[in-house]
Amino acid sequence: MRKAMLPFLLAAAASADTRKLTNPCLSAPFAALPFCNASLTIDQRSRDAVGRMSLTEKIDALGTEQGPTPSLGLGKYDWWSEATSGVANGAHGADGFHTHFAYPVTTGMAFNRSLWRVTGEAIGREARALMNAGKAYSTLWTPVVNLARDPRWGRNVEVPGEDPFLTGEYASSFISGLQNKQGGFLQASACCKHFVANELEKTTQLDGEEYDRRHDNAQVTERDLLDSYLPPFEACVRAGVSGLMCSYNSLNGVPACASKELLDTAKSWGFDGYVTSDCDADRNVYNTHKYAATRAEAVCDCVRDVLTAGTDVDCGEFVTRHASKALAEGLVDEALIDERLVNLFKVRLRLGHFDLSFDNKKPRGPLDMIPESVVCSKAHVQTSYEGVAQSATLYKNDGALPLRRVETLLVSGPTANISQVLASYYGPRDVCGGAYPGLVDAVREAGRVDVVYEQDLDRAVAAASTVDAVVLALGTDLNYAREGRDAPSIRLPADQLRLVEEVAAAARKPITVVLLTATPLDITALKANDKVGAIAHLGQPSVAVVGFSDLLYGRRSFAGRAVQTVYPAAYEDAISIADFNMRPGPSVFARPDCAMKNVSRCPRGVNPGRTYRFYEGKAVVPFGFGLSYTTFRYALRVVGATSFVVDVTNTGSMASDDVVLLFLVPPNAGADGVALKNLVAFDRVHVGVNATVSVALSVPSTVFAKKGAYRVEAGVRGDSRVGFDAATPQWWPTQLFFSEQAILGDDRIRRYNNRIFELHRAASSVVDEDWDPSNPSLQSACEASPARCGDEYSFVAASANDLDSSVYRISKQNAEAAHKIAEAEHKQLVASLTSAERDKREHYKRRAARLAKSPAHARRKSQPKTRKDEKIFPDGQDSVNVAGLGAEEHLAAIHADQFHRLLRADSFDDFQDM
């Protein structure tokens, strides 16, 4: 039968060449075959498809550039498409004009999950539209979720920052938008890369030592792996990403693409997708890592290793070229190849390649109805501008910004016109409209400002004294750092520093410096220069830089926050980029500033700690820092065991967004490899003048696993702090009534929680007025002196506006007495509720009562950890999706166990007994 069908099959595959994708299941004879039967499971359909392929077709399908598959009526398919900043042009994208978005190093600074999701959704939507038009494929190799763990890494431009929690949240939001499941199918496939510890491109040190990603054997401690390098990838998997890319490097001696342990780790998180190698990474297992035992057997052994490990498709020709020999030698069998291909076909089925029409005129689902006209739509272009407007970060402002009453303006500097150079880097070369606006266009103010653009130093100095304002564009471009090339230095180039000094000296008033760079350069000299009135950091926005205009002229306020620590220049002399240790300590690598060619004579470096979490020095610009045109006051309140509310009050004269960052300072912070602090929650809100917005933030209970004194800080400078002892959290001042506040969000309850705090503090004795969490003597009395503990407990607390915390010790008797007073006041409060508030309270009491009787509740009591999207309230079908709740109800939902106990209790004593 196959021979009789072959001419027809070849004709069908040939006809598909006019479009990049066609669905063979729309016509005979394939429509009647099981892999086209939508009533079967994806696994059944995928296995049926693979079972119909010839061995030659199977081997060919192990490469990313898969040729036609006549037995399935499929044309060729390329798994490799790029879309970090928009759908790319060329061989790994699609022809035509596409929307170009700012790079992640820029948009990460927005700390806005909605922006990240909408950006991903727009990119995925354009990809699907181009696929429907027959111009593109739909497996996009984005996002990059490695950490900006070293300021010199060449690919910092592609990542949202240095923090693993931030990077994971970015990835989750971006993936949700890009894949955007509709009608049962993924809009596009996202692929998180590069798995794992890949943050090195190519560096040559002064002593002649060269390190590059294809030879690198990243030595990573288990501690660093678990709390720094792996979490962003786990977040990808939890978000449902459909692809992973294994990296070039080895990890502790095992090439990533040949590491079954590593790829099985992804499966343990629930990964259900395909794994691709980075391009030629499978070949590097053989030729650079030399992983096989002997050269004679190396080629086939490496084919076996990557396939057995779980790498499904090879970006390159190594596996497809040598798989037949590996089969002949019995190192692999056809069943192993089948398993790899099943994963690939399952992803294509999830994309609708065997169910949809890719035809707007004959749609078989909502994704078919996405027209090519959405590409470069006004909404998408505006989203790209929004990425810059929300992300630009103000490092310094002595009143130079916003610009007022400016008619003439000088623009100079090496990065003022780099948009076109940047555009084609993992994004569209042909951008919407065909123009490549740069900083000059952003400052023109729609033609209302006469801009003098001058790159000659002498003429720029002369012009500076004649204009109303000066904007200098400094930084780096892709010639400085990119894939395959690490930045040579983090020092501000001497010619740029000279430009600033001479132009600023000639200008009528302090100038504005705009940094366009993915490499965080040491700007100490700029901060100290009184003639530099403002410094704004934009990352690498490319053509989206025009979104900066609203900030420059004060129609909107800056609200971005730094996502990379800016280190002093001496940092690059202390530690090699090849040292992957996150924590401070001695390094096995030579100091990078050693120029002796006899490497053994070079002194070893000392790691000062990487990223804000471990860096022991003083940052030039700390992670999370960012100024605004207005001012804010923070008040941090505890509303549950792991839930907090930050009351953000705009005390300035301009409505503005604000990014609220919540950091956790653990016990013994900075000692024995313990992080100095960790970002555990964040949100972005808009706050009107004189208005207060309450920002609800929740953190997983697992972050409090270690006993001892913790401090929670809101803001980079600890704008508001609270602390407590994890050994005795039951005496946390506001714990018992958090759920009432979460539901009602009432000022009376806010005042009431403060009252509880006052009662506790009044009934306590002060142990230390200036709490130092690193002092072990201030741990719980019960933990420090079990024999003398008795009924004493300790807690740490601070008033909302204090920067210093104090440790208090309270007896159980006094604590109970305080709660009896609180209980009486609570009853008075409940009696004063309005009818609507009482109805709402009773509604949740009924929910809580049903929860207490449910089998699911019993399971949760034994496994209290919950996710934000977990259904934990019985309602209707015994479920309420927390994602659908408001922020205040969400707080109550994630602490369902305590919540239902409180609302069912008639008194504090009843609560304790439950």
Side-chain angles (χ1 to χ4, degrees):
M1 184 177 72
R2 285 191 174 182
K3 289 184 178 180
M5 291 176 62
L6 190 58
F8 175 84
L9 298 178
L10 291 173
S15 68
D17 288 343
T18 58
R19 294 175 59 87
K20 287 197 171 181
L21 278 177
T22 57
N23 182 355
C25 296
L26 298 181
S27 58
F30 306 104
L33 298 179
F35 73 85
C36 291
N37 185 349
S39 67
L40 299 178
T41 67
I42 285 180
D43 186 70
Q44 290 171 326
R45 295 174 69 185
S46 181
R47 292 185 182 281
D48 179 76
V50 171
R52 294 176 184 279
M53 297 169 67
S54 68
L55 182 58
T56 300
E57 290 174 329
K58 290 178 179 180
I59 292 174
D60 177 67
L62 292 173
T64 49
E65 294 187 16
Q66 180 182 348
T69 309
S71 63
L72 301 179
L74 292 171
K76 64 181 181 181
Y77 187 81
D78 192 343
W79 288 86
W80 178 7
S81 292
E82 296 289 353
T84 296
S85 56
V87 180
N89 296 118
H92 303 296
D95 294 334
F97 296 103
H98 311 151
T99 308
H100 198 297
F101 299 85
Y103 287 95
V105 73
T106 293
T107 54
M109 294 188 290
F111 284 87
N112 188 344
R113 296 174 180 85
S114 297
L115 173 69
W116 302 333
R117 180 184 56 76
V118 170
T119 300
E121 186 174 351
I123 293 173
R125 190 170 176 82
E126 293 200 3
R128 176 59 69 160
L130 292 165
M131 192 185 85
N132 287 343
K135 298 180 179 181
Y137 300 108
S138 51
T139 41
L140 311 180
W141 288 359
T142 184
V144 179
V145 296
N146 301 105
L147 301 180
R149 55 113 198 166
D150 189 290
R152 295 161 291 190
W153 185 37
R155 302 186 76 167
N156 282 336
V157 65
E158 300 174 55
V159 301
E162 67 183 36
D163 180 77
F165 176 70
L166 164 65
T167 303
E169 292 297 292
Y170 170 90
S172 298
S173 301
F174 184 84
I175 291 164
S176 173
L178 187 138
Q179 296 195 155
N180 192 22
K181 194 171 184 178
Q182 300 176 53
F185 300 103
L186 301 180
Q187 176 176 255
S189 167
C191 176
C192 287
K193 57 185 186 180
H194 311 82
F195 195 43
V196 64
N198 182 67
E199 297 90 338
L200 167 70
E201 296 304 302
K202 186 175 183 179
T203 291
T204 302
Q205 295 191 171
L206 293 177
D207 60 12
E209 288 181 286
E210 184 174 283
Y211 303 101
D212 72 85
R213 59 185 180 168
R214 294 184 183 272
H215 294 81
D216 183 46
N217 176 24
Q219 295 293 318
V220 181
T221 66
E222 183 177 6
R223 200 175 184 185
D224 284 342
L225 197 63
L226 292 176
D227 70 13
S228 295
Y229 292 104
L230 288 179
F233 289 94
E234 182 176 1
C236 284
V237 173
R238 304 292 186 196
V241 74
S242 51
L244 285 176
M245 176 186 286
C246 52
S247 53
Y248 286 116
N249 58 283
S250 286
L251 176 66
N252 298 329
V254 183
C257 292
S259 175
K260 191 174 189 305
E261 180 181 1
L262 180 63
L263 299 181
D264 280 352
T265 297
K267 292 179 182 177
S268 73
W269 299 328
F271 177 61
D272 181 19
Y274 77 100
V275 177
T276 179
S277 72
D278 206 337
C279 295
D280 284 332
D282 282 350
R283 181 166 65 93
N284 293 155
V285 174
Y286 159 69
N287 70 348
T288 60
H289 296 300
K290 297 179 172 54
Y291 188 56
T294 66
R295 193 141 186 99
E297 64 186 18
V299 170
C300 294
D301 277 1
C302 290
V303 170
R304 174 201 61 202
D305 292 339
V306 297
L307 292 179
T308 301
T311 303
D312 298 308
V313 65
D314 175 24
C315 182
E317 300 177 349
F318 180 77
V319 172
T320 55
R321 181 178 296 175
H322 301 292
S324 294
K325 185 177 180 183
L327 277 165
E329 294 183 8
L331 294 173
V332 300
D333 57 24
E334 191 169 354
L336 178 59
I337 293 174
D338 287 353
E339 287 302 311
R340 302 283 71 81
L341 298 182
V342 164
N343 290 337
L344 297 176
F345 275 93
K346 284 168 69 174
V347 171
R348 293 194 64 178
L349 281 159
R350 291 168 63 189
L351 286 162
H353 289 183
F354 300 90
D355 295 277
L356 301 179
S357 67
F358 322 134
D359 187 345
N360 304 148
K361 297 178 181 178
K362 300 177 181 178
R364 292 168 59 90
L367 291 174
D368 286 337
M369 300 174 69
I370 300 176
E372 193 174 3
S373 60
V374 305
V375 180
C376 285
S377 65
K378 183 178 180 180
H380 288 183
V381 173
Q382 187 58 45
T383 297
S384 73
Y385 296 160
E386 192 68 17
V388 179
Q390 290 195 25
S391 304
T393 302
L394 192 58
Y395 284 169
K396 175 183 179 180
N397 191 21
D398 293 337
L401 291 181
L403 297 180
R404 305 287 192 192
R405 296 181 292 278
V406 171
E407 295 181 358
T408 58
L409 186 147
L410 168 68
V411 175
S412 185
T415 61
N417 191 29
I418 62 172
S419 294
Q420 186 169 3
V421 175
L422 290 170
S424 61
Y425 185 75
Y426 292 124
R429 176 188 63 250
D430 300 325
V431 302
C432 301
Y436 297 90
L439 186 62
V440 173
D441 301 279
V443 304
R444 286 191 193 281
E445 189 64 341
R448 292 186 291 273
V449 175
D450 184 13
V451 176
V452 178
Y453 177 49
E454 185 55 71
Q455 290 290 34
D456 179 82
L457 176 59
D458 292 337
R459 289 197 288 268
V461 171
S465 63
T466 67
V467 295
D468 298 327
V470 174
V471 174
L472 296 185
L474 309 184
T476 64
D477 60 16
L478 294 178
N479 292 318
Y480 198 80
R482 63 181 185 274
E483 181 176 8
R485 176 187 173 90
D486 293 312
S489 176
I490 61 172
R491 287 174 165 83
L492 187 69
D495 58 342
Q496 296 188 29
L497 186 57
R498 181 187 174 195
L499 173 68
V500 171
E501 291 172 344
E502 295 192 18
V503 169
R508 297 177 183 175
K509 56 186 180 181
I511 68 171
T512 295
V513 169
V514 176
L515 299 172
L516 293 143
T517 180
T519 302
L521 301 171
D522 180 0
I523 56 171
T524 300
L526 304 186
K527 292 179 64 180
N529 190 334
D530 291 339
K531 293 185 178 297
V532 176
I535 304 173
H537 176 59
L538 272 62
Q540 290 290 22
S542 187
V543 296
V545 68
V546 294
F548 179 56
S549 180
D550 284 347
L551 301 174
L552 187 67
Y553 291 101
R555 288 185 291 275
R556 297 172 65 169
S557 175
F558 286 87
R561 298 288 185 268
V563 294
Q564 295 173 284
T565 299
V566 179
Y567 302 96
Y571 184 93
E572 70 182 39
D573 298 328
I575 185 66
S576 169
I577 190 175
D579 188 325
F580 274 75
N581 285 314
M582 298 294 291
R583 289 162 164 85
S587 175
V588 299
F589 294 89
R591 282 182 60 93
D593 60 351
C594 177
M596 291 185 288
K597 299 306 178 183
N598 184 346
V599 177
S600 64
R601 298 181 61 186
C602 284
R604 301 298 93 180
V606 176
N607 189 341
R610 296 194 181 279
T611 78
Y612 78 95
R613 298 167 61 224
F614 301 105
Y615 178 54
E616 295 182 322
K618 183 177 180 180
V620 177
V621 179
F623 174 89
F625 179 82
L627 300 174
S628 171
Y629 288 152
T630 190
T631 55
F632 297 97
R633 184 178 67 245
Y634 282 8
L636 175 60
R637 296 181 286 115
V638 184
V639 293
T642 58
S643 296
F644 307 87
V645 169
V646 182
D647 295 317
V648 182
T649 302
N650 186 337
T651 57
S653 58
M654 182 178 183
S656 173
D657 284 4
D658 184 47
V659 170
V660 181
L661 306 177
L662 198 71
F663 294 95
L664 182 69
V665 180
N668 301 317
D672 300 322
V674 177
L676 296 165
K677 63 179 180 179
N678 293 294
L679 180 69
V680 291
F682 64 85
D683 204 353
R684 184 184 179 109
V685 293
H686 187 77
V687 190
V689 176
N690 295 325
T692 297
V693 174
S694 296
V695 183
L697 300 170
S698 299
V699 300
S701 59
T702 51
V703 302
F704 297 102
K706 185 177 181 179
K707 289 185 177 181
Y710 286 80
R711 185 168 73 250
V712 179
E713 298 180 349
V716 176
R717 297 170 300 279
D719 301 284
S720 186
R721 304 179 182 183
V722 294
F724 68 98
D725 192 317
T728 57
Q730 63 268 39
W731 302 123
W732 185 252
T734 58
Q735 178 180 0
L736 295 179
F737 299 98
F738 72 90
S739 49
E740 294 281 12
Q741 181 178 344
I743 293 174
L744 301 176
D746 193 286
D747 284 340
R748 291 168 299 176
I749 301 206
R750 189 174 298 120
R751 290 195 300 270
Y752 179 64
N753 278 321
N754 292 336
R755 174 64 172 150
I756 299 174
F757 173 80
E758 292 169 2
L759 290 167
H760 268 268
R761 191 160 56 178
S764 307
S765 58
V766 177
V767 177
D768 194 293
E769 293 183 351
D770 188 13
W771 173 53
D772 178 3
S774 66
N775 186 346
S777 68
L778 301 184
Q779 293 181 9
S780 164
C782 293
E783 182 182 7
S785 305
R788 297 186 294 106
C789 175
D791 288 332
E792 280 197 11
Y793 299 86
S794 65
F795 67 93
V796 184
S799 60
N801 297 319
D802 286 344
L803 294 183
D804 295 322
S805 297
S806 297
V807 176
Y808 299 89
R809 185 161 294 140
I810 187 170
S811 71
K812 184 176 181 181
Q813 181 179 1
N814 286 343
E816 290 176 345
H819 276 287
K820 286 187 181 298
I821 297 172
E823 178 189 341
E825 294 182 356
H826 176 65
K827 288 181 178 179
Q828 293 177 0
L829 172 69
V830 172
S832 70
L833 295 178
T834 66
S835 176
E837 289 171 333
R838 283 197 297 271
D839 290 345
K840 190 173 186 181
R841 184 173 184 269
E842 290 303 315
H843 170 68
Y844 281 95
K845 286 177 70 174
R846 289 193 295 271
R847 281 189 177 183
R850 292 199 300 272
L851 172 65
K853 299 176 182 178
S854 69
H857 170 62
R859 291 193 299 271
R860 274 190 300 276
K861 288 191 72 175
S862 62
Q863 297 177 330
K865 182 180 178 181
T866 61
R867 300 194 313 271
K868 287 184 179 180
D869 60 348
E870 187 176 350
K871 295 180 177 181
I872 59 177
F873 269 148
D875 183 25
Q877 299 298 317
D878 286 336
S879 67
V880 163
N881 196 324
V882 174
L885 297 176
E888 293 167 348
E889 295 176 7
H890 181 110
L891 273 174
I894 64 168
H895 293 284
D897 289 340
Q898 289 193 31
F899 174 53
H900 93 271
R901 290 169 61 208
L902 174 62
L903 293 188
R904 288 174 61 235
D906 292 324
S907 68
F908 173 67
D909 289 337
D910 289 343
F911 178 87
Q912 284 191 312
D913 293 337
M914 292 179 68

